[in-house]
Amino acid sequence: MRKALGGSVFALLMLTSCAQDAGTGTAGEPTTITQAAARTEQQNLSMTVPGTLAHSFQQLQAGWRGHLGLAVMPVGGSQMVAFGDWSTGPAWSTMKVPLTLAAVRRNPANAGYNGTTAITQSDNAAADALWQALGGAQEAAKAVEAVLREGGDTKTVVPATRTRAEHSSFGQAEWSLAEQVRFASTLPCLPQASTVLNMMAQIIPAHRWGLGAFSGAEFKGGWGPDASGSYLVRQFGVLDTEVGQIAVAFAAQPDSGAFNDGMAALDKMAALLSQHLDELAGGKCAA
């Protein structure tokens, strides 16, 4: 279920919003390491500086037994940074976010018990009720896909049928880290998304690991086993910073296959983010 990013660690840490994209600066501005790296266009470039998020992530991964992935992007922006050797896998319950938004748009009553419980408690029965509220399986899949497309995700396909009968079809959608963080960076800007984001700010205490360590974080986690029983654990969401909002998506697939090990890895990645937030430029939705 995992695909590698090619082993590169990109030190593109000065994220930019739509109004601050690379190349808009004046000639008198200093060239940062980030800009220099971006201009090389070398796919295998590895440039990390001690004390940066890139370097800290590299150290974390070196001591980790398994696969990690982290992607960050400013809300309303167009550029992302990605770290690690994990790039894609099943969405699991993170797909409940676009599902719930699709259902709320179809009928505002879906923002009640089913919508709230599906997001805040990751309740599968409630999510299944939302799926059924969108019509038949094909119609439901297309409705969720439409939300993804609106959020800038042009690639993710939501299956209408279950590959593994014990898991939801939407949860088994292959959702890459890159497409997920791109969707997260656009989510606050989508119509009626505030309803779902408010739910994402009220995740129950038992699920407040990883991004849950950030005050006011709007996030959703997802986790599940592959056919051999080994767990993938992932989260995505939006964080407020002093310079705007940033979208984050990360995932861990421990060699042990244990859920708790994956959860601990997300805690460690969240801790790295908290230590390096000043390196990341935030953004906001266009007026």
Side-chain angles (χ1 to χ4, degrees):
M1 291 294 186
R2 178 191 62 82
K3 295 179 183 177
L5 288 174
S8 297
V9 179
F10 297 96
L12 310 183
L13 297 177
M14 300 295 291
L15 294 180
T16 54
S17 67
C18 285
Q20 299 172 312
D21 281 344
T24 61
T26 64
E29 292 177 339
T31 299
T32 65
I33 291 175
T34 295
Q35 292 168 334
R39 290 168 187 163
T40 66
E41 296 182 354
Q42 296 179 23
Q43 293 301 311
N44 293 320
L45 177 68
S46 179
M47 181 185 297
T48 62
V49 178
T52 64
L53 175 57
H55 187 262
S56 295
F57 185 92
Q58 197 173 49
Q59 289 182 310
L60 173 63
Q61 186 158 43
W64 167 255
R65 305 187 73 171
H67 304 284
L68 301 175
L70 166 65
V72 187
M73 190 171 181
V75 166
S78 60
Q79 296 183 17
M80 72 177 70
V81 289
F83 308 94
D85 63 350
W86 189 95
S87 65
T88 190
W92 296 124
S93 288
T94 60
M95 192 58 74
K96 289 173 182 173
V97 172
L99 166 62
T100 302
L101 180 53
V104 167
R105 286 176 169 181
R106 182 67 58 90
N107 185 348
N110 288 322
Y113 176 82
N114 285 332
T116 300
T117 308
I119 297 295
T120 62
Q121 299 182 34
S122 206
D123 187 89
N124 291 330
D128 284 342
L130 295 178
W131 177 260
Q132 294 168 21
L134 291 172
Q138 291 288 345
E139 184 181 0
K142 293 302 180 184
V144 179
E145 270 188 26
V147 172
L148 293 175
R149 300 294 180 265
E150 189 180 349
D153 179 346
T154 63
K155 299 178 180 179
T156 304
V157 175
V158 179
T161 58
R162 303 183 182 211
T163 304
R164 295 167 62 192
E166 68 273 26
H167 300 293
S168 67
S169 56
F170 55 85
Q172 293 178 72
E174 186 88 358
W175 203 1
S176 74
L177 211 61
E179 295 304 321
Q180 188 171 69
V181 80
R182 185 173 287 115
F183 174 76
S185 74
T186 306
L187 180 60
C189 314
L190 300 182
Q192 296 179 265
S194 59
T195 299
V196 180
L197 286 163
N198 287 337
M199 297 173 186
M200 294 166 67
Q202 302 175 53
I203 301 298
I204 61 173
H207 296 171
R208 295 195 68 83
W209 31 266
L211 294 177
F214 290 88
S215 177
E218 298 161 332
F219 70 100
K220 180 74 188 76
W223 55 93
D226 62 17
S228 68
S230 295
Y231 269 78
L232 164 68
V233 185
R234 61 189 303 177
Q235 277 183 344
F236 83 105
V238 177
L239 306 177
D240 289 322
T241 74
E242 293 182 357
V243 290
Q245 291 184 303
I246 62 171
V248 179
F250 49 25
Q253 194 166 21
D255 284 349
S256 68
F259 166 75
N260 285 341
D261 288 342
M263 181 175 64
L266 265 58
D267 282 339
K268 291 178 180 179
M269 286 190 281
L272 290 187
L273 279 174
S274 69
Q275 295 163 13
H276 295 282
L277 280 179
D278 58 344
E279 298 173 27
L280 306 172
K284 62 181 180 179
C285 300

